[in-house]
């Protein structure tokens, strides 16, 4: 939704196109220079940072809704998306002092009535996605003031129950690392073994054996050695590798024991 007319239609008659009471919230993780970050959005009428999200359209399933939200927020498609938890505590929509009603009326020229479809209790399905920050282009929409990356070690106070969501997303992602090779979207097309080891150390939050971990990736057929080295001078130029697409996709679908 990019225009005032679209926003006004959404608030007045959005229930025609969207399912009332069912939303998606996405924890979009980005990796760059050895640091794991999270994409957050700031709304023009909501005073705290939040995860990007939105209502599910009537014509789409949950996976399609999550893919749409992440694509709209990052500018990227085909991300690794994983549903991790559903959030439905009573009153989860309420957050004292978070909503500026005067600014809302001024900005949109719309007043939310007490019986509005938007005020119903909402259940949110949490997904996480991963991407390389270099290629991602966060795009705030009409009612968003900004989108920005934050280190997971220094997140601002989040609105609603999104702090709980982030903790659950990180925990789920680290468990999934044991079974799915979810790092492809966080590295450049070609990389060194040192770079992929650092990536999985940051994602998992633990140190990995410098020899055993890369050897396991190679033994599983997930990596292909390239006839190319990174030029860093001297005689220790590291060899480049790339993900082997077919085994990688199979591992994403069927799972494996990785770290």
């Amino acid at each position: 939704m990019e225009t005032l007319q679209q926003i006004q239609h959404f608030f007045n008659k959005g229930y025609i196109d969207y399912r009332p009471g069912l939303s998606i919230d996405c924890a979009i993780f980005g990796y760059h220079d050895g640091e794991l970050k999270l994409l957050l959005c700031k709304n023009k009428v909501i005073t705290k940072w939040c995860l990007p999200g939105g209502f599910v359209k009537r014509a789409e399933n949950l996976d399609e809704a999550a893919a749409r939200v992440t694509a709209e927020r990052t500018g990227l498609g085909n991300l690794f998306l994983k549903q991790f938890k559903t959030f439905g505590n009573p009153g989860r929509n309420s957050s004292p002092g978070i909503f500026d009603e005067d600014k809302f009326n001024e900005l949109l020229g719309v007043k939310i009535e007490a019986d509005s479809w938007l005020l119903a209790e909402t259940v949110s399905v949490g997904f996480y996605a991963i991407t390389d920050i270099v290629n991602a282009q966060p795009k705030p929409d009409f009612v968003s003031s900004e989108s920005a990356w934050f280190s997971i070690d220094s997140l601002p106070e989040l609105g609603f129950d999104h702090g709980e969501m982030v903790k659950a997303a990180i925990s789920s992602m680290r468990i999934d690392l044991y079974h799915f090779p979810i790092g492809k979207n966080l590295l450049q097309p070609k990389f060194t073994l040192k770079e992929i080891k650092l990536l999985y150390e940051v994602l998992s939050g633990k140190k990995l054996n410098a020899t055993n971990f890369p050897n396991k990736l190679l033994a599983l057929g997930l990596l292909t050695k390239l006839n190319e080295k990174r030029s860093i001078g001297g005689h220790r130029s590291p060899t480049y590798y790339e993900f082997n697409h077919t085994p990688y996709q199979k591992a994403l679908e069927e799972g494996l024991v990785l770290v």
Side-chain angles (χ1 to χ4, degrees), residues 33-166:
D33 286 343
E35 187 174 22
L36 185 64
K37 297 189 176 184
L38 180 70
L39 182 64
L40 298 175
C41 299
K42 193 70 172 290
N43 192 290
K44 293 175 182 177
V45 297
I46 294 177
T47 59
K48 295 180 181 179
W49 290 90
C50 296
L51 294 173
F55 283 92
V56 178
K57 292 182 178 180
R58 293 185 181 276
E60 64 187 0
N61 61 37
L62 296 178
D63 289 340
E64 290 167 342
R68 172 176 55 82
V69 169
T70 54
E72 290 171 353
R73 295 301 190 178
T74 67
L76 293 175
N78 300 317
L79 298 182
F80 177 87
L81 280 164
K82 190 77 162 52
Q83 184 180 150
F84 64 91
K85 188 176 179 180
T86 299
F87 299 82
N89 285 342
R92 63 174 298 273
N93 293 4
S94 303
S95 188
I98 194 175
F99 184 68
D100 189 333
E101 187 171 351
D102 291 337
K103 185 177 290 186
F104 178 87
N105 293 336
E106 176 186 347
L107 176 67
L108 302 179
V110 176
K111 180 176 178 58
I112 297 183
E113 303 297 339
D115 61 349
S116 170
W117 72 282
L118 292 168
L119 298 182
E121 287 285 346
T122 301
V123 170
S124 182
V125 182
F127 280 77
Y128 74 80
I130 56 175
T131 185
D132 175 18
I133 290 176
V134 171
N135 294 320
Q137 300 176 354
K139 300 186 298 183
D141 58 20
F142 185 86
V143 295
S144 298
S145 57
E146 55 185 316
S147 296
W149 294 102
F150 290 85
S151 168
I152 62 168
D153 296 322
S154 57
L155 296 176
E157 182 180 1
L158 302 183
F160 307 108
D161 56 356
H162 290 196
E164 177 188 350
M165 286 184 172
V166 171

Side-chain angles (χ1 to χ4, degrees), residues 1-48:
M1 293 179 287
E2 299 179 350
T3 68
L4 177 59
Q5 290 73 21
Q6 289 175 321
I7 295 294
Q8 290 175 334
H9 175 77
F10 172 78
F11 281 99
N12 289 324
K13 296 184 178 181
Y15 56 84
I16 297 174
D17 302 311
Y18 294 85
R19 303 188 208 180
L22 181 61
S23 65
I24 294 289
D25 283 295
C26 293
I28 302 175
F29 295 108
Y31 175 83
H32 186 59
D33 286 343
E35 187 174 22
L36 185 64
K37 297 189 176 184
L38 180 70
L39 182 64
L40 298 175
C41 299
K42 193 70 172 290
N43 192 290
K44 293 175 182 177
V45 297
I46 294 177
T47 59
K48 295 180 181 179

